[in-house]
Amino acid sequence: MLIRKPPDIPGSEITPESVYLNRRQFLQQSAVLGAGMGLSAQAVAGLQADDSVTPEMIATSYNNFYEFGTGKSDPAQYAHNLTTDPWTVTVSGEANKTGKFAFEDIIKGLTSEERIYRFRCVEAWSMVVPWQGIELKSILQQFEPTSKAKYVEFKTLMRPSEMRGQDSFFSSIDWPYVEGLRMDEAYHPLTIMVVGMYGKTLPNQNGAPWRLIVPWKYGFKSVKSIVSIRFTKRRPRNTWNQLAANEYGFYANVNPAVSHPRWSQASERRLPSSLLKPNRRPTLPFNGYADEVASLYTGMDLRRNF
Ligand SMILES: Nc1nc2c(c(=O)[nH]1)N[C@H]1C(S)=C(S)[C@@H](COP(=O)(O)O)O[C@H]1N2
Ligand SMILES: [Mo]
């Protein structure tokens, strides 16, 4: 992200338009989803008429997962080496129930649902993805965080033997990848822990067996392959902020009015995007979810807290 300019998607990865869901089908589907979620269809899915679902081929082969390399195709090429079963998660910090838990035991009894969200990377490309996820709040509440818990921190697996990018001499990242949210952001109904996409189990390159999705924030907040959850009093560090604090903040709310120091955030390339069909469109405040989440930041200077 910081280190290299993202390459354009090769034409071979662009799926013909015939595979897109047609608009009618899509809107019907999102209405059903919205009803099931107890929030208005438009509010939750928040979809615009031209938000067609990104072809699965693209969402699973054009990735950022630096543990497997910095190239967009590296994760799809190398992540199959990752062992995701068994998967142990360590819960620690300001909570009554801490310790080591099997991933299956944490999600047992919780309901996952399909959520079609826009996904906006800080590099100014975007997708629309049908995730299968569980509200993060219902996961976190099981551990009974105390009133001292103001933030929650997530860490990715550290396993250089299976994650070739962690071994790399040239990597400037201080592994493991770490991210965090304020508790009210973590408890927001749009925030989900994802276990699948396109109706299938989550592929390794997208963060198996589970990863965060916070649809109103830049993609780097959505940490993959999580093995640690820690409740904290103080704001946790986050990987990209540590690497370049003037370029990547802690909040990372999608904001067309605040440019990255090296490029504008006013618009985005919606994948599939090519030189002939750039599919460029304006970026929306909070990635189009302002009605739902803007109140979380009342009174905050979003230029300073970018
Ligand atoms: N552990 C880990 N999580 C990560 C990243 C990463 O490099 N390592 N990249 C982030 C970035 S910059 C983006 S845009 C999204 C990409 O998710 P996707 O590959 O499923 O589209 O994952 C985020 N989560
Ligand atoms: Mo990103």
Side-chain angles (χ1 to χ4, degrees):
M1 174 157 95
L2 172 79
I3 301 158
R4 278 184 204 166
K5 181 181 171 294
D8 224 316
I9 323 172
S12 60
E13 285 178 19
I14 296 169
T15 311
E17 288 184 31
S18 58
V19 306
Y20 291 40
L21 290 171
N22 72 47
R23 182 182 297 182
R24 186 145 157 262
Q25 206 183 355
F26 183 57
L27 292 179
Q28 273 173 357
Q29 199 182 351
S30 46
V32 171
L33 291 171
M37 289 183 284
L39 290 157
S40 85
Q42 234 201 329
V44 170
L47 298 167
Q48 316 290 311
D50 55 349
D51 280 334
S52 347
V53 168
T54 301
E56 179 182 359
M57 224 301 242
I58 293 179
T60 58
S61 64
Y62 184 88
N63 299 103
N64 275 332
F65 200 168
Y66 275 31
E67 283 82 344
F68 296 102
T70 55
K72 289 287 182 284
S73 55
D74 287 338
Q77 193 177 347
Y78 300 113
H80 57 262
N81 289 326
L82 183 66
T83 310
T84 57
D85 187 12
W87 193 266
T88 306
V89 180
T90 304
V91 178
S92 61
E94 307 294 341
N96 293 328
K97 296 191 173 162
T98 56
K100 287 188 191 299
F101 301 86
F103 164 66
E104 293 77 17
D105 291 339
I106 297 176
I107 63 166
K108 195 160 49 191
L110 299 175
T111 36
S112 78
E113 57 194 325
E114 188 173 63
R115 299 259 183 117
I116 304 174
Y117 283 158
R118 281 183 296 279
F119 182 84
R120 170 63 156 81
C121 175
V122 74
E123 296 163 342
W125 51 265
S126 66
M127 306 190 280
V128 177
V129 181
W131 304 109
Q132 193 72 27
I134 301 166
E135 280 192 18
L136 180 62
K137 182 176 183 176
S138 63
I139 292 168
L140 297 184
Q141 277 180 329
Q142 300 181 112
F143 307 115
E144 300 174 10
T146 71
S147 58
K148 286 182 188 158
K150 301 291 181 237
Y151 298 87
V152 56
E153 176 207 72
F154 304 93
K155 280 186 187 147
T156 298
L157 177 71
M158 172 78 181
R159 192 184 286 159
S161 61
E162 291 184 351
M163 296 174 133
R164 64 203 314 270
Q166 290 180 331
D167 223 359
S168 165
F169 174 75
F170 298 101
S171 175
S172 42
I173 291 178
D174 180 17
W175 307 108
Y177 194 100
V178 57
E179 259 303 339
L181 295 172
R182 244 172 31 195
M183 281 305 280
D184 60 341
E185 298 176 317
Y187 274 17
H188 192 281
L190 287 178
T191 306
I192 54 174
M193 203 68 111
V194 159
V195 295
M197 63 197 289
Y198 296 86
K200 298 170 191 161
T201 303
L202 192 64
N204 285 0
Q205 62 268 33
N206 293 89
W210 66 346
R211 61 91 60 86
L212 192 66
I213 284 290
V214 194
W216 70 93
K217 293 179 179 286
Y218 291 122
F220 68 82
K221 295 297 289 183
S222 292
V223 45
K224 295 175 168 181
S225 304
I226 294 166
V227 292
S228 160
I229 299 175
R230 189 168 66 97
F231 298 96
T232 66
K233 290 181 209 155
R234 299 237 214 105
R235 193 166 102 179
R237 65 195 182 91
N238 58 312
T239 290
W240 281 100
N241 176 254
Q242 274 197 309
L243 216 52
N246 62 323
E247 302 190 15
Y248 311 103
F250 173 79
Y251 284 95
N253 294 318
V254 174
N255 190 345
V258 175
S259 296
H260 184 277
R262 291 181 284 127
W263 59 85
S264 165
Q265 296 291 22
S267 69
E268 62 202 59
R269 289 185 303 122
R270 173 64 54 83
L271 306 187
S273 159
S274 64
L275 286 176
L276 287 178
K277 279 193 181 179
N279 204 10
R280 199 164 263 289
R281 59 187 68 209
T283 288
L284 302 171
F286 297 103
N287 203 23
Y289 302 99
D291 287 351
E292 288 78 22
V293 303
S295 63
L296 293 173
Y297 308 102
T298 307
M300 268 178 67
D301 178 353
L302 297 177
R303 289 191 166 273
R304 214 163 56 85
N305 297 286
F306 61 88

